[in-house]
Amino acid sequence: MSRFNISPLKIPKRLLMGPGPSMVADSILEKMGAAPVGHLDPYFLSLMEEIKRMLREVFQTSNEFTFPVSGTGSAGMEFCLVNLIEPQDKVLVGINGLFGRRIADLALKLGANVQTLEVPWGESIEADQLKKALDELQPKVVALVHAETSTGIRNPIEELSPLICQSGALFILDTVTSLGGIPVFIDRWGVDATFSATQKCIGAPPGLSPVSFSPRAMEIVSKRKTKIPSWYFDCLLLHGYWGMDRIYHHTAPTNNNYGLHEALRLILEEGLENRWQRHHNAYCRLKKGLSELGLEFFTPDNRRLSQLNAVKVPEGKDEALLRQKLLDQYGIEIGPGLGPLKGKIWRIGLMAEGAREECVDKLLVSLEEVLKS
Ligand SMILES: *Cc1c(COP(=O)(O)O)cnc(C)c1O
């Protein structure tokens, strides 16, 4: 016997209704449990092609360079920024929560001239505000977050994107929490670069970050004056592997790609619109149930995300304690508030497999119990 005396894991079953990771369908877990093939095996290469094709459909894009970066959503963020930003570039970042802030921090590390359009946490970035910032600053790059997971706010990209297109700026969009949950239209919105993640509304475990670059983004990379300040995220090297040349770059995480393939297949089998509707229906049920419990939303309903609901903690209740009880007694995870919202809100995620009536009902019943206790 090993002197470490460590027992095999007995992994608890949770109902994940927080800000991600989300519930994963059994068929995805089954595929991920298979033995890996080689990352250059012809079987794997054809699987890569199917993933690319399915991702284009889910992103609603015809961008050839659409593939999953190996790493979580933040890796996709880094991929977009290291390739498209050069020192001194004027980059306008919309900030209304944690993830806009993260984009700005990363752009600063890359030596960009970062300008921010900041609105309070819990508000959305609106067209008149963006128009003013674009006119004043004339940025080379604009980066926005579609679904701000830290606050449950949706920035109205359908209204913001025409302004960015008119300004001629390169448009980077974080679709980590939106993709697969609410409408995302990469080509219609004129998005040049986007990154997402597998563990939110795509419904696979964390580990991959689907990204897409427009032909214009690829051209900007090819005209850089400075070297891409990364090896792992160099899009030209990655194109060598994910494009048709199949040149080894790094060992693709095969099993995560098995899982993503199945997750995308399930999304397209369900249909994008049906899936968006399912997320919306789950939200409607949650909204009704929360109001019956006397709970209020933190976010205004015209800009509220169906897949991530920020709910005010009732006066005098201990946020962390009640959340802990939900986990310990009912096996349900919801998320805390972050930054200025710590202790003030809960974040209830209705993502992927969690966006179902039975999950919402289970949460509501359990929440009622812990609120009474
Ligand atoms: C979760 C999230 C990220 C970061 O993704 P990780 O997978 O945690 O690295 C980025 N942006 C948004 C909007 C997110 O919700």
Side-chain angles (χ1 to χ4, degrees), residues 56 60-66 83-84 170-171 186-187 190-194 211-223 235-236 239:
R56 287 188 197 109
Q60 294 284 291
T61 183
S62 57
N63 291 338
E64 187 263 336
F65 198 41
T66 302
N83 285 292
L84 295 172
L170 194 82
F171 182 14
I186 293 308
D187 285 1
V191 176
D192 290 292
T194 186
V211 298
S212 185
F213 270 16
S214 70
R216 181 163 81 133
M218 295 304 277
E219 191 186 315
I220 291 204
V221 175
S222 70
K223 289 187 178 150
C235 78
L236 302 174
H239 191 268

Side-chain angles (χ1 to χ4, degrees), residues 195-306:
F195 57 95
S196 190
T198 45
Q199 80 275 20
K200 305 212 181 176
C201 298
I202 299 289
L208 292 175
S209 174
V211 298
S212 185
F213 270 16
S214 70
R216 181 163 81 133
M218 295 304 277
E219 191 186 315
I220 291 204
V221 175
S222 70
K223 289 187 178 150
R224 284 180 66 103
K225 294 185 213 75
T226 57
K227 281 195 173 160
I228 297 165
S230 170
W231 180 87
Y232 197 71
F233 294 126
D234 182 320
C235 78
L236 302 174
L237 297 177
L238 284 165
H239 191 268
Y241 178 54
W242 279 93
M244 286 322 215
D245 294 339
R246 319 294 200 184
I247 301 163
Y248 164 69
H249 174 257
H250 69 283
T251 310
T254 33
N255 293 44
N256 282 77
N257 279 287
Y258 294 165
L260 176 59
H261 184 284
E262 178 65 5
L264 294 170
R265 198 187 67 74
L266 292 177
I267 290 175
L268 297 180
E269 192 175 78
E270 179 174 11
L272 281 175
E273 271 161 30
N274 293 338
R275 194 177 176 92
W276 299 333
Q277 187 64 47
R278 175 161 65 77
H279 282 77
H280 182 73
N281 294 347
Y283 155 74
C284 291
R285 197 167 180 105
L286 178 74
K287 182 177 164 183
K288 182 160 170 286
L290 290 177
S291 90
E292 284 163 11
L293 293 179
L295 295 172
E296 287 172 25
F297 280 92
F298 168 71
T299 44
D301 54 2
N302 66 327
R303 296 290 187 242
R304 191 176 291 159
L305 292 169
S306 50

Side-chain angles (χ1 to χ4, degrees), residues 118-241:
E118 290 196 51
V119 306
W121 286 45
E123 290 179 19
S124 52
I125 294 170
E126 293 296 322
D128 51 339
Q129 299 165 320
L130 182 66
K131 172 111 185 47
K132 192 157 157 281
L134 288 170
D135 289 346
E136 266 172 32
L137 300 164
Q138 312 262 325
K140 178 175 165 192
V141 179
V142 177
L144 297 176
V145 176
H146 186 199
E148 185 42 90
T149 322
S150 60
T151 65
I153 282 286
R154 179 179 68 84
N155 285 317
I157 302 304
E158 65 287 356
E159 293 170 31
L160 305 177
S161 61
L163 302 170
I164 301 169
C165 292
Q166 276 160 30
S167 79
L170 194 82
F171 182 14
I172 300 176
L173 184 63
D174 173 331
T175 52
V176 173
T177 285
S178 51
L179 194 70
I182 55 172
V184 170
F185 300 107
I186 293 308
D187 285 1
R188 192 186 300 171
W189 291 340
V191 176
D192 290 292
T194 186
F195 57 95
S196 190
T198 45
Q199 80 275 20
K200 305 212 181 176
C201 298
I202 299 289
L208 292 175
S209 174
V211 298
S212 185
F213 270 16
S214 70
R216 181 163 81 133
M218 295 304 277
E219 191 186 315
I220 291 204
V221 175
S222 70
K223 289 187 178 150
R224 284 180 66 103
K225 294 185 213 75
T226 57
K227 281 195 173 160
I228 297 165
S230 170
W231 180 87
Y232 197 71
F233 294 126
D234 182 320
C235 78
L236 302 174
L237 297 177
L238 284 165
H239 191 268
Y241 178 54

Side-chain angles (χ1 to χ4, degrees), residues 71-133:
T72 65
S74 307
M77 183 188 290
E78 195 137 350
F79 168 81
C80 290
L81 268 61
V82 296
N83 285 292
L84 295 172
I85 291 177
E86 294 197 70
Q88 268 83 57
D89 279 355
K90 196 186 280 177
V91 179
L92 173 63
V93 185
I95 302 181
N96 54 344
L98 183 95
F99 293 105
R101 171 64 61 198
R102 185 174 294 181
I103 295 177
D105 288 345
L106 179 50
L108 280 171
K109 282 182 187 287
L110 295 170
N113 169 3
V114 177
Q115 307 286 327
T116 59
L117 167 54
E118 290 196 51
V119 306
W121 286 45
E123 290 179 19
S124 52
I125 294 170
E126 293 296 322
D128 51 339
Q129 299 165 320
L130 182 66
K131 172 111 185 47
K132 192 157 157 281

